[in-house]
């Protein structure tokens, strides 16, 4: 079945450091791919998405590119801020129902 | 501004009791999803509604779990004879329906109901 694997956390970085959170997927067909973010004490929010191969999703300085050849959707940001501290979830959508299949989540802690 | 709302926000119950969790989706969203977020299992899909029908119940963990949706709007997730392993945050999400063959419609999540079974 479809699945998502993302790197274990926690990831601890200093402010202005470069961020990569790896995500790979297994899926039949061509799912859409997502990054969701959960800030402390808040609900799950869509951060960015890509719906087909080679698409790049971007938002708030974060980017991820849908790589079909490597079945990956790694999240990157060039310069993280303390306010980026949160749990990040990679996910794919099942085309038949659009239900989301999530990775385990990666806690990011950014220190000033 | 009407986002997805869920009630109660917190629920503490004793093992063996029944609980009902409520979800009010965004107006006009015909697709509704329930997910569960727990320490051991991460974020997992439970059930999907399109209108009042549930074509995908594959994520419900046991027959103690059931859900219904009425009027194409409010949904209730019921857990009978709760067990300690049911403790989790239960999330509801809604979206517009996907077009046939489309692969995406953004899901908007509610704040969740934190269930604690003692």
């Amino acid at each position: 079945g479809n699945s998502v694997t993302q790197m274990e956390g926690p990831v601890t970085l200093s402010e202005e450091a470069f961020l990569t959170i790896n995500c790979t997927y297994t899926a039949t067909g061509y799912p859409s791919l997502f990054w969701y973010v959960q800030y402390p004490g808040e609900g799950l929010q869509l951060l960015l998405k890509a719906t087909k191969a080679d698409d790049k999703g971007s938002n708030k300085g974060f980017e991820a590119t849908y790589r079909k050849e490597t079945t990956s959707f790694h999240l990157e940001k060039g310069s993280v801020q303390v306010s980026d501290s949160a749990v990040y979830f990679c996910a794919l959508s099942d085309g038949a129902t659009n239900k989301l299949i999530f990775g385990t989540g990666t806690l990011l802690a950014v220190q000033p | 501004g009407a986002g997805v709302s869920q009630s109660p926000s917190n629920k503490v119950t004793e093992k063996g009791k029944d609980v009902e969790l409520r979800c009010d989706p965004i107006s006009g969203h015909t697709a509704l999803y329930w997910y569960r977020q727990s320490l051991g299992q991460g974020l997992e899909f439970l059930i999907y509604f399109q209108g009042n029908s549930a074509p995908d119940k594959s994520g419900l963990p046991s027959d103690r779990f059931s859900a219904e949706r009425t009027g194409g709007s409010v949904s209730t997730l019921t857990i009978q004879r709760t067990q300690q392993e049911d403790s989790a945050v239960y999330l509801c999400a809604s979206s517009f329906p996907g077009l046939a063959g489309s692969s995406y419609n953004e899901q908007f999540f509610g704040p969740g109901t934190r269930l604690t079974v003692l």
Side-chain angles (χ1 to χ4, degrees), chain A residues 6-7 9 11 20 33 55 60-61 70 77 85 107:
Chain A
Q6 64 181 102
M7 64 188 286
V11 174
T20 300
L33 301 175
D55 266 4
K60 299 182 180 181
T70 54
K77 186 174 186 182
S85 298
L107 173 63

Side-chain angles (χ1 to χ4, degrees), chain B residues 7-69:
Chain B
S7 60
S9 55
N10 279 285
K11 176 72 177 178
V12 179
T13 191
E14 293 180 348
K15 178 180 171 181
K17 301 281 190 184
D18 298 353
V19 296
E20 285 190 352
L21 312 179
R22 177 187 169 105
C23 172
D24 280 276
I26 292 171
S27 178
H29 282 189
T30 59
L32 186 147
Y33 305 80
W34 283 97
Y35 297 88
R36 177 168 74 170
Q37 186 174 20
S38 57
L39 279 177
Q41 302 298 323
L43 257 166
E44 52 182 349
F45 164 80
L46 297 178
I47 186 169
Y48 158 66
F49 286 92
Q50 181 55 48
N52 293 335
S53 301
D56 189 348
K57 306 178 184 180
S58 62
L60 294 178
S62 77
D63 59 8
R64 296 186 296 104
F65 287 71
S66 63
E68 65 175 13
R69 190 177 184 195

Side-chain angles (χ1 to χ4, degrees), chain A residues 1-5 23-29 31 33 70-72 92 101:
Chain A
N2 295 349
S3 66
V4 174
T5 302
C23 171
T24 58
Y25 67 91
T26 301
T28 54
L33 301 175
T70 54
T71 62
S72 66
L92 63 80
I101 296 170

Side-chain angles (χ1 to χ4, degrees), chain A residues 30-32 34 36 38 43-44 46 49 51 89 93 95 97-100 102-104, chain B residues 33 35 37 42-45 48 56 58 91 98 102-107 109-111:
Chain A
Y30 304 97
S32 291
F34 308 85
Y36 278 83
Q38 191 171 37
L44 208 55
L46 178 65
K49 67 181 190 296
T51 58
F89 293 91
S93 66
T97 62
N98 287 328
K99 69 186 180 189
L100 293 171
F102 289 91
T104 52
Chain B
Y33 305 80
Y35 297 88
Q37 186 174 20
L43 257 166
E44 52 182 349
F45 164 80
Y48 158 66
D56 189 348
S58 62
L91 296 171
S102 75
S103 57
Y104 164 71
N105 263 304
E106 180 176 353
Q107 293 181 28
F109 282 80

Side-chain angles (χ1 to χ4, degrees), chain B residues 2-6 23-26 29 32 92-95 108-112:
Chain B
V4 177
S5 60
Q6 294 186 244
C23 172
D24 280 276
I26 292 171
H29 282 189
L32 186 147
C92 176
S94 71
S95 75
F108 294 83
F109 282 80

Side-chain angles (χ1 to χ4, degrees), chain A residues 3 10 59 73:
Chain A
S3 66
N59 186 26
F73 193 56

